[in-house]
Amino acid sequence: MKWSLLFKEKMKAAIILVALMLAIIISNFFEKRLASRNDFTVSSIFEDRLQPSTDLYEMRTLNDQRLFILEEFLHANSATDRNRLNEKMELNHSQFDQLLARYQTTFLVAQERELLQQLQKNLRQFDNAFAQLSKAQSGTLALQNAKNNIYQTNTHLGKLNKLQSQIGKQLLAQYKKDTYYSSFLNTFQILLSVCIGFIILKMVSNSSLLNKFDKKINLN
C-alpha cells in the first residue's frame, strides 16, 4: 500500500516536471522572439529613423538652394549664365534624387507613403515649372509656380522629418516594453528551474524511502 502511494507521488512529480520543462521551452521560445524583435527595433531606429532624418534635412537644404538658383535665373542676362544655372540645378536635382531614393528603401509606414506621394507630385510640378522658366515661357508665372512648389516640398519634408521622431519614440517605447517582458520571462525560467530542482530532489528522496521500505519487506 505504501509502495503504491509512493509510486503515485512519483508519477505526479514526473508529470509536474514535464509540465515545468514545457513551460521553460515555451517561455524560451517567446524570449527569443522578443530578442529578435528588439534587434529589429534597434536596427530600425537607426536605419529607418535616424538616418532618414539626416537625409530629409539634407533634402530640405538642397530644396532651399533651389530658391537661390531661381533668383539667379531670373537675373541671368546671357545664355552662358542660364546654361551654368541649368547645370547647377541638374546637380542639385541629382543629389536630391539620391537622398530620396535612399529614403524610399527604408521601412515606410502608411502616413509616410502618403506624404511621399505628395512630395513626388510637388517635385514633378517643380520640374515642369523650371523647364518652362528655362525656355523663357511665361517666366513670371513659371517662377511663382516653381517657388510655390519649393515651399510645398519643404512643408512635406518637414512633416516627414517630424514623423521620424514620432515613430522613433514609438519604437523606443516598444523596445522598452519588450525588454521588460524578456526580463520577466528570464526570471520566470529561473524560478521554473528552481522548481524542477526541488522536484528532482523530492523524487530522489522518495526513491530512497521506497528502497528502505523494500528492504524492510525483504527482511520480514
Side-chain angles (χ1 to χ4, degrees):
M1 186 71 179
K2 191 173 182 180
W3 183 89
S4 176
L5 181 62
L6 287 172
F7 179 77
K8 287 181 180 179
E9 288 295 322
K10 200 170 184 180
M11 284 298 296
K12 189 187 295 183
I15 292 171
I16 294 173
L17 184 63
V18 171
L20 290 174
M21 290 178 69
L22 285 174
I24 288 178
I25 292 170
I26 293 171
S27 63
N28 184 260
F29 169 75
F30 282 109
E31 187 182 11
K32 286 182 178 178
R33 284 191 63 181
L34 287 172
S36 177
R37 190 161 68 180
N38 274 348
D39 288 341
F40 171 78
T41 300
V42 171
S43 175
S44 183
I45 287 174
F46 175 76
E47 295 178 2
D48 300 325
R49 302 304 153 202
L50 293 179
Q51 184 60 50
S53 291
T54 303
D55 291 344
L56 288 167
Y57 176 79
E58 290 182 20
M59 279 189 271
R60 192 163 184 172
T61 301
L62 289 168
N63 193 52
D64 288 336
Q65 289 176 5
R66 293 178 179 183
L67 278 174
F68 297 105
I69 297 174
L70 287 176
E71 290 297 331
E72 288 184 68
F73 211 98
L74 186 64
H75 298 95
N77 296 320
S78 66
T80 303
D81 288 340
R82 285 176 174 268
N83 289 335
R84 177 180 59 81
L85 291 171
N86 275 325
E87 290 175 0
K88 196 173 181 179
M89 184 64 80
E90 285 178 7
L91 177 61
N92 178 288
H93 204 294
S94 175
Q95 292 173 336
F96 191 99
D97 285 348
Q98 286 178 4
L99 292 170
L100 183 60
R102 184 163 66 182
Y103 174 62
Q104 288 176 301
T105 61
T106 62
F107 178 77
L108 302 173
V109 299
Q111 193 174 353
E112 280 182 293
R113 289 193 293 269
E114 183 180 345
L115 285 170
L116 193 57
Q117 288 177 355
Q118 296 173 6
L119 174 65
Q120 290 171 325
K121 181 181 178 181
N122 286 335
L123 293 173
R124 288 193 297 269
Q125 290 173 344
F126 172 81
D127 289 340
N128 292 334
F130 186 74
Q132 290 179 4
L133 186 63
S134 298
K135 296 174 183 177
Q137 298 174 358
S138 58
T140 304
L141 180 61
L143 178 65
Q144 189 57 48
N145 288 337
K147 284 185 176 181
N148 288 338
N149 284 311
I150 287 174
Y151 298 142
Q152 290 173 2
T153 297
N154 266 350
T155 299
H156 289 124
L157 288 172
K159 288 180 179 179
L160 284 169
N161 212 347
K162 187 177 180 180
L163 200 57
Q164 306 311 305
S165 176
Q166 293 174 353
I167 298 173
K169 288 178 181 178
Q170 293 173 5
L171 288 171
L172 188 59
Q174 184 64 49
Y175 173 78
K176 290 180 178 179
K177 186 178 179 181
D178 288 345
T179 301
Y180 169 78
Y181 284 131
S182 180
S183 177
F184 171 79
L185 287 173
N186 187 261
T187 303
F188 179 66
Q189 289 173 30
I190 292 172
L191 291 174
L192 289 179
S193 298
V194 171
C195 290
I196 288 173
F198 176 77
I199 290 171
I200 290 173
L201 286 174
K202 189 174 181 181
M203 289 173 68
V204 170
S205 176
N206 287 342
S207 179
S208 298
L209 289 174
L210 185 60
N211 289 334
K212 289 179 181 179
F213 179 70
D214 288 341
K215 286 180 180 179
K216 286 182 179 180
I217 292 176
N218 291 332
L219 288 173
N220 292 333

